[in-house]
Amino acid sequence: KGKLKVGFSSRLLLSLLSICYFGSFINVNLSLVYSNIPMFTFLKFEVYRLITSLFMSDCLYEYLFNLFVVLTIFNFWENKDGTSKFIIKFVINLLIVQIAMLILYLLLYYFFPIIISYKIKILPSLGIAFLVKHLLLTNTKNVLLYTGKKINDRLLIVLFIVGFLIMNGRECKIEMWISF
């Protein structure tokens, strides 16, 4: 097949991820202001956090992992479906998964009060959801990367899960399981 081009929405995501990551060095509180933290998103009605949290990275590893997610599976689906169709599916999935997680976090709040202050990291979760979509809806066992190389989709899902677990450390994150 040849090389995939890096699509418009993938380039936009990469740019916004980079701007927000490097912007957090200028203002340390940037991540707290724009991340999806249920305490603020739901209880203070700061709904802009549903979109802006997509671009927040707390550390270099998380930033690199998010770049990897965008350049592999998101770029693959954008090239497969087209930019406008991908953006519509992406935004719908973004909102549905985040709202479902907010509701679940609020329900779990009564049993685990600390959970209301956790950041919901959506980009790796959406990457896993789109990778599972690839596993279920395509006959191929590889994802074609923008460099022209192929990567096994089962290996990619293991890398996503391991990366997600490393990023979240000791916190009990349910985003990954909801994304499946």
Side-chain angles (χ1 to χ4, degrees):
K1 244 184 159 176
K3 288 185 175 181
L4 290 178
K5 64 181 176 90
V6 179
F8 173 75
S9 64
S10 296
R11 281 184 297 193
L12 181 65
L13 273 173
L14 292 172
S15 299
L16 291 171
L17 279 168
S18 298
I19 289 169
C20 290
Y21 176 71
F22 293 113
S24 67
F25 290 113
I26 297 169
N27 184 350
V28 188
N29 296 322
L30 187 71
S31 179
L32 291 174
V33 172
Y34 293 109
S35 291
N36 187 359
I37 303 171
M39 180 173 20
F40 300 114
T41 306
F42 201 70
L43 300 178
K44 301 274 186 188
F45 301 110
E46 296 177 356
V47 293
Y48 65 89
R49 291 174 181 263
L50 294 174
I51 301 295
T52 58
S53 65
L54 179 68
F55 312 114
M56 295 294 110
S57 300
D58 290 335
C59 63
L60 179 63
Y61 176 76
E62 187 176 334
Y63 170 68
L64 294 174
F65 182 75
N66 288 341
L67 293 179
F68 178 70
V69 169
V70 172
L71 285 173
T72 54
I73 198 69
F74 290 159
N75 190 53
F76 173 81
W77 278 102
E78 181 179 4
N79 279 280
K80 186 168 174 48
D81 288 346
T83 300
S84 57
K85 194 173 182 182
F86 173 77
I87 289 173
I88 291 168
K89 287 180 181 179
F90 184 78
V91 170
I92 289 171
N93 283 317
L94 172 77
L95 294 175
I96 289 172
V97 171
Q98 290 221 66
I99 290 170
M101 284 190 282
L102 280 171
I103 292 169
L104 190 57
Y105 271 49
L106 287 174
L107 292 174
L108 291 173
Y109 168 68
Y110 292 105
F111 302 107
F112 310 103
I114 191 74
I115 202 166
I116 202 149
S117 65
Y118 285 170
K119 291 180 185 177
I120 297 175
K121 298 176 183 170
I122 193 66
L123 195 61
S125 303
L126 288 175
I128 290 171
F130 275 87
L131 190 53
V132 169
K133 176 183 173 183
H134 172 74
L135 291 170
L136 296 175
L137 297 180
T138 61
N139 294 330
T140 62
K141 295 191 188 268
N142 296 309
V143 174
L144 184 64
L145 301 178
Y146 71 98
T147 58
K149 297 183 175 157
K150 291 182 179 181
I151 187 168
N152 185 297
D153 53 12
R154 275 87 177 154
L155 173 64
L156 200 55
I157 202 160
V158 168
L159 291 174
F160 279 18
I161 291 171
V162 168
F164 190 83
L165 291 174
I166 290 171
M167 265 188 337
N168 291 304
R170 295 171 291 152
E171 293 179 3
C172 175
K173 291 294 187 168
I174 53 178
E175 290 97 294
M176 184 177 62
W177 306 114
I178 288 177
S179 65
F180 278 109

